[in-house]
Amino acid sequence: MNYYQIIFENMLLEDLQVVLKVAEFRSITAAAANLDMRTATASAAIKRVESQLGVDLFIRTTRQLRLSAAGERYIPQCQQALLTLQLAQQNIQDDLNVVEGELRISISSDLGRNLVIPWLDEFVDQHPKISLKINISDSTIDFYRDSVDLALRYGSPTDANLYGFKICDVPALLCATPDYLAKYGTPTHPQELTNHNGLFYQLHDITHDVWEFTEGNGTQGNSTHKIKMKGNRASNDGDLVRRWCTSGQGIAVKSCLDISNDLLSGKVVNVMPEFSPRVTELWLVCPSRQSITPAVRALRDHVRDKSHLILSELAKQGFLNQHESPA
């Protein structure tokens, strides 16, 4: 036991991370892919660690790879030691408030492509020691399977094990182009929407074609209206739904952030503003408390400031009620 602890100090941290990934995946190839390195590089790292230990950590056959008896003893110690080092490094960074390192972030399709990517570019310009890896997807994120550190998503975290920061409330708006409304008419009540072509978001084979509206500003228990819509287009990509809407293919319920540029430019208009669709929340979510670094907190503040500027401008232009704009 002491022998392993002593020799650990002389090893490369990167090599030990490779060993842990190989132990996790039971495959050198899969571990290398996860770490964005060549298989030969990962294999060389394992050989260096085994050479310094003087034992084989893995038993290799033509069909599988498994831990040796020495590996079974060594891997848990290695995991604990690396965790201790990571916590020590984070504590130092927290004390110094150092904004640096790699951020692996997942962002939903429409929000990412049309708003957040420019915000992230500005963030990196402000903090040149930050690097980014961006996952653009509307699919549900598994932090460990998808190798991401944080996710910017609509809706509060449902998993009690996750940690998150609420960025802002995000009202949805019913939108269409002026040309579409000139051709098919402008509805004045949710019941009239059955005469229009709905553009739908679809996730996990569920098409969101039942739209709910609250009459009035939503501050008092006003009446609600549920409408089963008809339409000829649905997609699991929110950006595509927005593109259909802005090209005049139909009418859509969109997050006011996602559609903000099109609203402010006049490309689309807010339809039936007296009837409010759902209000959701934008959250920055992390898999653990240890992943909340100074860089993550700085990014949180940056995204919050940018979001609030847009919400304030939408309220100023009359697209949102005053109670929906940020304080």
Side-chain angles (χ1 to χ4, degrees):
M1 300 286 276
N2 292 333
Y3 169 73
Y4 288 144
Q5 292 170 351
I6 292 170
I7 203 166
F8 172 85
E9 298 175 359
N10 299 318
M11 294 182 184
L12 292 174
L13 181 61
E14 293 82 0
D15 287 353
L16 295 173
Q17 289 171 333
V18 172
V19 168
L20 290 182
K21 279 298 178 183
V22 172
E24 175 186 349
F25 287 100
R26 294 296 196 270
S27 165
I28 297 175
T29 301
N34 182 266
L35 294 168
D36 292 329
M37 65 173 55
R38 295 186 305 122
T39 300
T41 303
S43 182
I46 295 171
K47 289 179 180 177
R48 282 194 294 270
V49 173
E50 290 180 328
S51 175
Q52 288 184 317
L53 288 173
V55 296
D56 290 333
L57 297 176
F58 301 98
I59 297 174
R60 304 162 179 81
T61 68
T62 56
R63 307 187 69 174
Q64 65 177 354
L65 179 148
R66 60 185 177 86
L67 286 173
S68 67
E72 293 282 1
R73 296 192 302 272
Y74 179 75
I75 293 300
Q77 297 178 55
C78 184
Q79 290 172 326
Q80 186 59 49
L82 282 178
L83 178 60
T84 300
L85 286 174
Q86 289 167 355
L87 289 174
Q89 183 180 28
Q90 181 180 323
N91 289 336
I92 291 173
Q93 290 178 334
D94 287 349
D95 291 341
L96 298 175
N97 200 31
V98 176
V99 179
E100 64 179 17
E102 181 181 81
L103 291 177
R104 302 177 300 175
I105 181 169
S106 173
I107 318 169
S108 57
S109 166
D110 204 355
L111 184 69
R113 291 191 178 98
N114 299 297
L115 278 183
V116 178
I117 297 303
W119 299 351
L120 293 177
D121 289 338
E122 182 178 321
F123 183 73
V124 172
D125 288 341
Q126 294 172 356
H127 304 283
K129 292 185 178 181
I130 289 289
S131 62
L132 298 173
K133 284 189 177 179
I134 300 175
N135 177 316
I136 295 284
S137 174
D138 284 336
S139 299
T140 303
I141 287 296
D142 182 313
F143 282 98
Y144 301 101
R145 179 198 65 202
D146 299 315
S147 297
V148 297
D149 303 310
L150 59 162
L152 189 63
R153 281 290 189 270
Y154 289 119
S156 58
T158 56
D159 187 338
N161 294 318
L162 299 179
Y163 293 80
F165 303 101
K166 180 180 174 181
I167 302 299
C168 59
D169 291 321
V170 185
L173 301 175
L174 182 67
C175 297
T177 62
D179 288 345
Y180 173 86
L181 297 174
K183 185 175 181 179
Y184 296 102
T186 301
T188 58
H189 191 277
Q191 297 297 335
E192 299 175 19
L193 289 174
T194 55
N195 300 319
H196 287 267
N197 187 51
L199 305 171
F200 305 128
Y201 180 64
Q202 177 179 307
L203 189 62
H204 305 310
D205 295 326
I206 298 174
T207 301
H208 295 270
D209 56 0
V210 176
W211 294 352
E212 184 172 338
F213 299 87
T214 301
E215 190 170 356
N217 59 20
T219 57
Q220 303 173 349
N222 294 316
S223 59
T224 60
H225 305 269
K226 280 189 177 182
I227 306 298
K228 172 70 172 178
M229 293 291 297
K230 295 179 294 184
N232 60 9
R233 289 173 172 83
S235 175
N236 64 349
D237 187 313
D239 184 42
L240 180 53
V241 176
R242 185 193 61 82
R243 290 171 184 265
W244 282 335
C245 182
T246 59
S247 64
Q249 302 299 330
I251 196 164
V253 173
K254 290 292 297 177
S255 149
C256 68
L257 286 179
D258 292 354
I259 203 77
S260 59
N261 289 331
D262 302 308
L263 283 167
L264 294 170
S265 68
K267 186 178 290 187
V268 300
V269 297
N270 182 16
V271 183
M272 297 191 320
E274 301 85 4
F275 297 88
S276 304
R278 53 171 169 65
V279 176
T280 187
E281 300 172 346
L282 183 63
W283 281 71
L284 187 65
V285 184
C286 306
S288 67
R289 187 181 297 277
Q290 287 74 28
S291 60
I292 303 174
T293 64
V296 169
R297 288 194 289 270
L299 179 62
R300 170 204 61 194
D301 295 342
H302 185 71
V303 172
R304 185 176 286 162
D305 290 345
K306 290 292 185 179
S307 299
H308 285 194
L309 281 174
I310 291 178
L311 293 174
S312 296
E313 184 62 26
L314 289 172
K316 180 181 177 181
Q317 297 297 327
F319 294 112
L320 301 179
N321 295 317
Q322 289 302 316
H323 78 278
E324 295 175 319
S325 63

